[in-house]
Structures are given as structure tokens and as C-alpha cells.
Amino acid sequence: MPEGDVVWLTARRLREALKGRVLTRSDFRVPRYATVDLRGRTVLDAISRGKHLLVRVEGGLTVHTHLKMEGRWQIRRAGPPPRDHRVRLVLANAEWQAVGYSLGVVELLRTDEEAAAVGHLGPDLLDPAWGPELAAESVARLAEEPERAIGEALLDQTRVAGIGNVYKAEVLFLRGVNPWTAVRNVPDILGLVQLSHRLLEANKERHGHITTGELGRGREHWVYGRAGRPCRRCGTRIERAEQDERATFWCPHCQPVGARPAP
């Protein structure tokens, strides 16, 4: 599933292509909205909220989409829409068209009812208003389940929005915390949240999630996707295991805190 920085960049590209322009095509290829026609309406904005995308349209309407595991938006010059069974939505104007492939969620909401789709989310790590208050709220939400494994808690978008499996593994490595450590035993949750914010912020305007500071292929991550290979810091073999039905990666030497998974 795309991380929050990927969704943020997608929102920016949708905004650049659609905002302030009148829709000349709105093609909803999902049964529930097959008859919806937004042509003639101006797009007012396109924003991300955690891993959700909200395209606000004149008339108090919002197109809500979520990429889930395989979804993506592609921006291309205006022209005939693609004939592709994976296309779920096309929004176009005289210059550009935005084509949504394999979108996990497509729905139309009243703009004043957006909370029905995103109101459950925790603070967004890429919220322009990010600061001490939102960081403190994130810590408080994580602390509401003190016995929960931190590796699971970080992926819960109702605690803090934007972290996916890559950043979960990388942030925990950089903070020296084992993924199975209970939230109550994490020594500095605020520092962990703030590091998550800094990493997403640093990567939001480019493809890929660089956490090592190295741009070379295969050098981008500390532990994610590196099971069986030596830790870049200590040489210990990187481990991989399932956690809450998602793969997680860690270094047993650099991340010794907390219980290990059962063999």
C-alpha cells in the first residue's frame, strides 16, 4: 500500500492538472456512480489526508478515492480516455486528464460530509499545520493502546496517518526499537513520531522512500526488504517475520528492545 508521501505527491499532481479548470469529462466506471456527471463544474482543490485523496468540485461535492494496494492516478494530456478494464475514474478538462487505475475506493460525497470518509484518521504527518500540537495528539492516540506492539500501532491510521510498511520498519530501526515492543515500553514515542514526520517530509516530492540518505539503487533502506542480508550498521543478519499479516524487517542486534516473535 502506498505510503503517505506517495499519496501527497499524487494529490499535488491532481491539483496541478485539475484545480481551477472546468471538467469536460467525468467518467465513473464503478456501478454505484455510473450515471454521475460532473461536467461543467470547476475543480476547487485536490488534497491528501493520510492515504486518502479528496478532489473538491464546485457545487459542494468531493470525489473521494483511496489507492489501497494497487491503485494509481496517471496525469496525461487531454484526449480519448484509455480503454483499460483497470480504469475506475477519469476526470478531464480541456488540457489534462486524470486517470485512476485500480482504485480501491471511489465515492462521491458532499464536501461538508468529508468527515464520514476521513474523520476517523489520526493526525496527518504531512499536514501543513504539523507542529507540537499534532505531534502530541499522535503520541496520545498511540498511548491509548499501551499493550499493543508498536509495529502494529504505527500502521493504524487512526493513531497517526501516513505511515506504511516501509516507514514503519525504517523508523523503528533508526530509533533502535524492536517491532514487537509494547507501546508502553517505547522510550520516546514523541521522537519516533517526529522522525516519521521528517522522513515523509523529506521524501514527499520524489519517487521512492530514501531513509539512508543514499540514492543508489539498493542503498535506499536500512532494513526494509533486506531479509537475510547484513545490517548496514553492525553486520547482523536482517530478520523478516509476519506481524499483523504484514511483513516486517528488523535487526536483532540494533533493535533488541521487546519480545521476539514466536519461531
Side-chain angles (χ1 to χ4, degrees):
M1 184 177 294
E3 313 270 331
D5 53 353
V6 172
V7 181
W8 182 94
L9 185 57
T10 300
R12 190 183 76 174
R13 289 174 173 164
L14 287 169
R15 187 163 57 251
E16 291 171 347
L18 301 177
K19 184 177 179 180
R21 295 182 171 95
V22 176
L23 291 174
T24 57
R25 180 185 297 275
S26 74
D27 185 359
F28 287 78
R29 300 183 187 179
V30 292
R32 183 179 178 185
Y33 300 106
T35 61
V36 169
D37 188 356
L38 300 178
R39 288 178 298 173
R41 298 175 187 254
T42 299
V43 174
L44 304 178
D45 208 353
I47 67 169
S48 62
R49 180 74 171 86
K51 298 184 180 182
H52 298 252
L53 288 158
L54 303 170
V55 177
R56 294 169 179 159
V57 180
E58 184 181 20
L61 297 175
T62 295
V63 179
H64 168 229
T65 61
H66 195 297
L67 305 181
K68 295 293 185 178
M69 294 298 292
E70 298 178 353
R72 63 186 174 92
W73 279 97
Q74 183 181 86
I75 307 300
R76 57 175 68 182
R77 287 287 182 180
R83 293 186 175 183
D84 190 321
H85 71 278
R86 297 171 299 170
V87 174
R88 297 290 179 268
L89 176 59
V90 180
L91 297 174
N93 52 54
E95 299 175 72
W96 301 99
Q97 61 178 325
V99 183
Y101 292 85
S102 304
L103 301 173
V105 173
V106 176
E107 62 178 346
L108 189 65
L109 308 168
R110 297 292 308 175
T111 300
D112 58 10
E113 296 176 353
E114 286 178 358
V118 298
H120 65 289
L121 298 174
D124 185 345
L125 288 163
L126 290 176
D127 190 323
W130 181 268
E133 290 186 7
L134 290 179
E137 182 184 343
S138 300
V139 171
R141 288 189 177 225
L142 287 166
E144 288 173 355
E145 299 179 289
E147 301 303 320
R148 192 175 190 182
I150 187 63
E152 295 179 14
L154 289 178
L155 292 181
D156 185 342
Q157 302 298 296
T158 69
R159 307 296 102 189
V160 57
I163 298 176
N165 221 28
V166 176
Y167 284 117
K168 176 201 75 172
E170 296 295 284
V171 167
L172 290 178
F173 173 81
L174 289 167
R175 298 295 298 181
V177 177
N178 186 282
W180 282 267
T181 303
V183 168
R184 62 178 172 79
N185 291 330
V186 176
D188 182 10
I189 295 183
L190 177 59
L192 190 153
V193 167
Q194 292 286 38
L195 176 59
S196 301
H197 163 70
R198 291 196 299 274
L199 287 176
L200 266 73
E201 187 72 26
N203 284 297
K204 70 181 185 181
E205 297 195 32
R206 64 184 173 198
H207 288 291
H209 315 294
I210 311 299
T211 58
T212 60
E214 298 188 36
L215 303 180
R217 186 175 181 83
R219 303 290 299 174
E220 306 98 323
H221 303 141
W222 292 99
V223 293
Y224 182 81
R226 301 191 66 247
R229 300 171 66 183
C231 174
R232 299 191 190 282
R233 281 183 175 170
C234 71
T236 302
R237 180 179 181 272
I238 299 298
E239 297 291 335
R240 177 191 185 278
E242 296 296 312
Q243 183 179 43
D244 197 24
E245 300 183 350
R246 301 286 298 278
T248 195
F249 303 85
W250 79 103
C251 171
H253 180 266
C254 296
Q255 298 168 260
V257 180
R260 303 296 199 278

